[in-house]
Structures are given as C-alpha cells and as structure tokens.
Amino acid sequence: MDEILFFLFGPLAVLAALGAVALRNPFYAVLSLVLHLLSLSMLFLLLYAQFVAVVQVMVYVGAVMVLYVFVNAYVGGTTNADGSVNTPQGGNGPSLRLLSYGIAALLAITVGIAVLGTGLQAIDDQSSSVSAEFGSPSQIGELLLTRFLLPFEGASFLLLVAAVGAVVLARRRGGVLPDEDRMIAASELMAPIGVASMREGVGAINTNPGARSVTLGSSSDAPSGPGSSSGSGPGTPSAPDAPTTGDPASRGEQADDRRRDREDDAPNDAPPSEDAPPADVRNPGFDPPTPAPSDEVPPTGASPEDGRDDKDAR
Amino acid sequence: MSSGWFLAVSALVFGIGAIGVLTRRNPLLVLVSLELMLNAGNLALITFARMHNAAEGHIFAMVVMVVAAAEVAIGLGIVVALYRNRVAVDVDELRELRG
C-alpha cells in the first residue's frame, strides 16, 4: 500500500515540479506548483507526518498559492504589445542556458549523493516501530512550546516583520497618478470623509471639496458660476452631460448648494460627505487630478513630486 | 518502503527548482522555483525525521514553511512594487535598487 501510494504521488510530484518550471504561462506554472504541493503532502502522510501534511495543505495550498494567484492576476503576465505572451529567452544565447542546466544537474547529483550516500546503508530501513503519537499535533505542540520555544517566538516575529514589510513594499506611494482615470464608486459618495478608510488612505477618495465637486459633475461648485462648471476639466467622465445640457438645472443645484451652505445642514438627498470637512481636514499630500475651481481653496502639495522626493531621499 | 526513494524525489525536485531559479526571468516564476527548492528540503527533513523516529524534524520543516511564507510575502511585495513603478518585470533588466 505504501509502495502504491508512493509510486503514484512521487512521480506526480516530480512531474508537477517540472511543469512548474517549464510551463510558459505563469498562471499554469502556479497551478502546477499547487499540484506538486498536494502530492508532496501525500508523501508527508506516508512518512507519518500528519500534522505537517495538514499544515502544508492549509498554509501552502490555501494561503500562499492564493497570494501567488492574486499577484499573478495583478501583474497580469508579461504580454507584448501584439498580444503574444512574452517568453524571454536566455540573455546571451543558448550557451548560458545550457550552462545553467549543467549546473542544476550537478547540483541535483551532489544533493543526491549527499542525502543518499552517506551512512544510509546502516539506517536504510526506517525504524519499524512508530509510536502512535509520532507526528501528531500533541507531540508537535509539546515540542514547540517546550524545547523549541525560542524558534517558535522567533518565527512569529519573523512573520510579523514580513507582513509589515510586504505592506510597506506594496503600498501606493504618492496617491493617484495625475494622468490616471479615476472611477468613483457609488459607495464612496455615501461614506463620510475622514473615516480613514483604506481607499482614502491611498488617495482614491479626493478630499479636496472643490475638486471633488468637479468630479461629481456640477452639483456643488456653486461660487464659481456656470463658466467653470461648463469647463470642468478633463477628468469628469462621471457626469459629462450635466454641465452642457442642464444649465438651468445646474443653476438650481447651485442655488440649492448656497442655501445648504447657509443653513449648514445637508438635506437627505445630498451625499453625506459633502458637508464634512473643510480645508483643514483634507489629505495634504494629495494633488487633485482635475483642475479645481479658481476661487476654491487651491490644492496644496503636488503629491507625485512629494513621493519622488521621498523616494530619492530614501 | 525505503527512505532512499523519498530522498531521491527530494534531490530531483531540488535540482528542478535550481534549474528554474537559474533559467527563468520572470521574478514570479523565480519565486515559484524557490518554493520548489524549499519544499524539497522539507521533504528531506521529514524523511530524516521518519528515519530517526524523532519528531524534531517536523519542527524544522514547519520553521522552513514559516520562512518560505515570509519570503513569499516580501518577494511578491517587491514584484507588485516593480509593476507599480512601471519597471520591466524581468530579472535580467533589474539593475537598480533605488525605488
């Protein structure tokens, strides 16, 4: 039974590893790696390592591979301009590639000799008596909390450092790029400004009230008059027809806005984020991609330059 | 079931992963190949634990898994940062550490 399972899953592991290395599409390579890890967990089960096998499936196949797939989908493969999948060949001709194959073969032979040849004749057969709790969670937990307590705590600290480092590496520097088309979701308009949501932290929500009114259409740029509402800048794909067609309607909205500003209470149909924070609460490092109306508060810092200075100083 | 078979699988997978690390130029696939090499080491550790009938090898294997998870998090963060900065996602083209 052991032999059957081993000769089913051992070659499967090797073949899946070959596929993970040789497949051109990165997505298929990651899926082949998932197959390799699953068959490897079966080999772990054959070696009476139940807990490690389960951890392998849960941590690797469940978590790490999902991370791989997400990043793969985010980066989106390296396709050329003509749509063909970019398959980078060896940099300096096939000689380096052959050399790398030779090096890897030598490495495999060396490792094989090292793990197969040394002293294995004496202890070749596995010790036949396996205690019932060998590799069980209770034994692993006891070892982790008594003898290997310091590596256990060090591993947790390493994971913490890695998580913080990954967030720092992958965060978006300098807010939204100036030439980037932004799409405003409806849920953003419902959320009040200043709640420190994640999208606000990366600058996706423009907290400059003047510029935001431009992106909302002509609903609230009341003091600047119809001229600025008709020339509301290039970045207003959300309501393109409002400034051009409904000029009286927009005037009505502007009057509505003035009255709202006087009375300082928002009606229910307005988005609740309109009347929250004035100039002092907004994100100082954000440059609005659309030109703000002239008599609104001018935008403060130019954030891409800020980010670039930050990076250069680093 | 002799332990040598498991160790042979481990050495083969390690060599395959080394081929991948040396030949692939997509950093994502380099990370995949690194995973292969780490898992080959894990398989060898588990096999030796079975041979010596000592569960300490399982602890070592789990520490290797923790290190691999941390490495994947950092490596994929670097890949995402490269993609954000419009740098070519290609190992041979990367010559600057400056952000």
Side-chain angles (χ1 to χ4, degrees), chain A residues 2-3 6-7 10 13-14 17-18 20-24 26 29-30 33 36-37 40 43-44 46-49 51-52 55-56 60 64 67-68 71-72 74-75 78 88-91 97 100-101 103-104 107-108 111-112 115-116 120 123-124 126-131 134-135 139-140 143-144 147-148 151 155 158-159 162 165-166 169-173 177 311-312, chain B residues 1-26 28-40 42-44 46-81 83-86 89-90 92 98-99:
Chain A
D2 278 3
E3 284 82 3
F6 176 79
F7 286 107
V14 175
L18 272 177
V21 168
L23 282 177
R24 284 299 177 200
V30 171
L33 182 61
H36 168 76
L37 294 175
L40 210 60
L43 294 187
F44 288 170
L46 282 180
L47 290 168
Y48 293 92
F51 186 70
V52 182
V55 165
Q56 170 101 354
Y60 265 116
V64 175
L67 194 63
Y68 267 111
V71 172
N72 213 334
Y74 182 76
V75 176
T78 56
Q89 300 301 315
R97 177 171 292 259
S100 62
Y101 285 152
I103 288 175
L107 192 58
V111 172
V115 300
L116 284 173
L120 212 58
I123 47 172
D124 192 16
Q126 296 165 352
S127 56
S128 55
S129 67
V130 173
S131 57
F134 179 73
Q139 193 188 13
I140 300 286
L143 275 175
L144 270 183
R147 191 173 158 193
F148 295 98
L158 176 68
L159 281 179
L169 274 175
R171 81 179 195 277
R172 192 164 201 167
R173 295 179 180 86
L177 298 176
K311 272 182 283 183
D312 282 341
Chain B
M1 194 71 220
S2 170
S3 297
W5 290 102
F6 291 97
L7 295 178
V9 169
S10 165
L12 269 178
V13 172
F14 192 84
I16 291 168
I19 289 177
V21 171
L22 288 175
T23 58
R24 302 318 296 267
R25 289 171 65 195
N26 192 343
L28 211 63
L29 292 173
V30 171
L31 283 177
V32 165
S33 307
L34 271 177
E35 290 290 322
L36 285 179
M37 296 175 75
L38 285 168
N39 277 292
N42 258 352
L43 181 60
I46 298 287
T47 309
F48 286 131
R50 172 76 179 90
M51 265 168 61
H52 294 280
N53 207 356
E56 282 87 357
H58 296 181
I59 307 290
F60 295 162
M62 289 177 60
V63 170
V64 169
M65 281 186 195
V66 168
V67 172
E71 166 248 333
V72 162
I74 295 296
L76 293 183
I78 289 174
V79 170
V80 170
Y83 182 71
R84 284 252 173 82
N85 287 336
R86 309 288 200 273
V89 186
D90 188 336
D92 285 353
R98 187 170 58 86

Side-chain angles (χ1 to χ4, degrees), chain A residues 248-266:
Chain A
S250 70
R251 278 178 190 277
E253 286 183 4
Q254 287 159 10
D256 205 355
D257 258 348
R258 287 199 196 93
R259 191 176 64 238
R260 191 190 312 152
D261 287 342
R262 278 201 308 271
E263 297 173 0
D264 203 11
D265 57 343

